[in-house]
Amino acid sequence: MSSEKTSRRTWVGWKGYAEAGYGGTVQPEDRVFFAVSGEVIAGVVRLAIENGSLVLRGMQVAEAYRGKRIGMALLRYLADDLGNKPCFCLPYSHLEAFYGIVGFQVANDSEIPLFLAERKHAYLHRGMDVVSMVRHSAEPVL
């Protein structure tokens, strides 16, 4: 597992995002965490700073590496990096328990920044079944 402050060039160079239909962009201050198998990027997640808030974005695992606990390793690595800093995410609702493993909890709109509540409602309007979650501090990771 590695963490890098990365450039947009490095970010878009990974084809897994395009294959997954993810169109997110990276900013210079974002931290990107990679799971690497040999010379292959098997998975990636980024920690973005948006309007002063930390937001987990773009968790993706390459198709050939799914079911091998790569996403869990990325999530645990990111959680360790966060320490006691609060963080938000908007995962698909079927992943609620997955993110809950490292302390993310479902949050209502009044518990998340306004820009995230607006993003969540835009996703819902587009038919994406997402839920807002927050991780207030480090909790024991089982």
Side-chain angles (χ1 to χ4, degrees):
M1 206 73 55
S2 64
S3 168
E4 298 179 13
K5 286 204 173 195
T6 187
S7 70
R8 180 170 167 72
R9 182 174 43 86
T10 303
W11 174 257
V12 298
W14 188 58
K15 293 182 173 101
Y17 275 117
E19 291 169 5
Y22 181 77
T25 59
V26 70
Q27 301 302 314
E29 64 273 10
D30 292 352
R31 290 177 50 88
V32 179
F33 300 85
F34 297 94
V36 180
S37 177
E39 297 293 316
V40 176
I41 296 174
V44 64
V45 64
R46 73 183 166 106
L47 187 59
I49 300 171
E50 298 182 27
N51 297 307
S53 296
L54 290 171
V55 184
L56 184 158
R57 305 278 318 257
M59 168 80 82
Q60 297 286 330
V61 175
E63 185 79 36
Y65 293 91
R66 292 187 186 156
K68 298 180 182 189
R69 305 189 58 82
I70 301 240
M72 179 59 67
L74 282 166
L75 188 61
R76 288 181 192 269
Y77 194 86
L78 181 133
D80 286 345
D81 187 72
L82 280 172
N84 285 323
K85 293 175 251 166
C87 183
F88 302 91
C89 65
L90 298 174
Y92 289 105
S93 64
H94 71 274
L95 297 171
E96 182 181 319
F98 173 73
Y99 288 96
I101 290 170
V102 295
F104 280 93
Q105 300 173 333
V106 173
N108 63 44
D109 287 354
S110 66
E111 297 173 288
I112 63 174
L114 179 60
F115 75 93
L116 277 179
E118 290 171 347
R119 182 181 298 159
K120 178 182 105 175
H121 289 285
Y123 289 166
L124 292 170
H125 183 73
R126 291 186 352 217
M128 299 168 68
D129 184 18
V130 298
V131 61
S132 49
M133 299 186 81
V134 61
R135 182 179 184 267
H136 292 289
S137 64
E139 296 185 14
V141 177
L142 305 173

